Amino acid sequence: MKTDIVLAGVGGQGILSIATILGSAALKENLYVKQAEVHGMSQRGGDVQSNLRLSSDPIASDLIPQGGADLIVSLEPMEALRYLPWLKPGGTVVTNTAPFVNIPDYPEHEALLAELNALPHVVAFDMDAAAKEVATVRSSNMVLLGACAPFTGIEPEKIEDAIRAIFGRKGQAMVDANLAAFRFGLSKAK
């Protein structure tokens, strides 16, 4: 088993929480894990990107080469498109369609959606709206985690265990909200 994942978004959206949860779940499955993060201007709404490599065999590098990612997971549609050069042929993009407009010349939303919908393997929907419907708008990263779960090679139950472990100290209500958001994203992707 080997899965290379590029996680992308904007600072404050929870991309690194997804990486932490997936890494924790992978370790529970006795997989090797390597992660590299680029924070950029994350506290000011800048680009946040993480390379997450999961494998049943030892991993030499924590960076994913261009054309080597099995999966691009993004909480922002323009950020998903930014990392397409890293996607391997036949790879999958899982992305939120709700834009985070943080620059004056942000591309037209319809053009972004058209480019995403032209991809051969894509799961794209408004994860912010879904999160608000099932939990809170702040749990859109957990909706995204659920939507990408079928493509990671990790059993959803292991991911749920990692969510419980990581958010447990914040109380049962937080755990329940994150699990509800995760399960919604998982059902939507299936």
Side-chain angles (χ1 to χ4, degrees):
M1 182 272 190
K2 179 178 127 348
T3 306
D4 287 339
I5 305 167
V6 172
L7 297 147
V10 174
Q13 287 186 306
I15 284 296
L16 300 181
S17 294
I18 292 173
T20 300
I21 292 166
L22 285 175
S24 177
L27 290 173
K28 294 278 186 191
E29 289 204 357
N30 294 316
L31 296 174
Y32 291 91
V33 177
K34 290 266 187 175
Q35 181 184 357
E37 300 170 1
V38 176
H39 295 278
M41 298 280 292
S42 61
Q43 291 183 333
R44 297 185 185 160
D47 176 40
V48 174
Q49 180 262 341
S50 178
N51 283 217
L52 184 62
R53 307 187 82 186
L54 315 172
S55 178
S56 52
D57 298 315
I59 304 165
S61 173
D62 53 356
L63 296 177
I64 299 168
Q66 282 195 1
D70 299 289
L71 189 56
I72 293 176
V73 176
S74 180
L75 266 166
E76 209 290 324
M78 185 177 75
E79 295 301 324
L81 294 171
R82 177 193 311 256
Y83 291 100
L84 284 181
W86 275 263
L87 190 65
K88 70 170 49 170
T92 301
V93 174
V94 180
T95 188
N96 188 359
T97 58
F100 186 96
V101 181
N102 58 349
I103 54 174
D105 56 347
Y106 191 91
E108 181 184 310
H109 189 243
E110 295 305 317
L112 288 175
L113 295 181
E115 196 168 341
L116 285 169
N117 290 327
L119 298 171
H121 306 287
V122 65
V123 175
F125 61 95
D126 186 337
M127 296 181 189
D128 292 354
K132 192 173 182 181
E133 179 182 325
V134 298
T136 69
V137 74
R138 292 192 52 140
S139 59
S140 60
N141 64 331
M142 293 298 108
V143 174
L144 177 63
L145 177 60
C148 78
F151 309 101
T152 63
I154 301 172
E155 298 211 14
E157 296 77 22
K158 294 280 190 333
I159 298 172
E160 287 189 9
D161 289 344
I163 290 170
R164 285 184 193 94
I166 289 167
F167 290 105
R169 64 183 172 80
K170 294 187 176 186
Q172 193 58 44
M174 178 71 78
V175 171
D176 291 344
N178 282 312
L179 287 173
F182 171 79
R183 290 173 183 152
F184 183 88
L186 181 63
S187 68
K188 189 88 167 160
K190 289 182 175 179

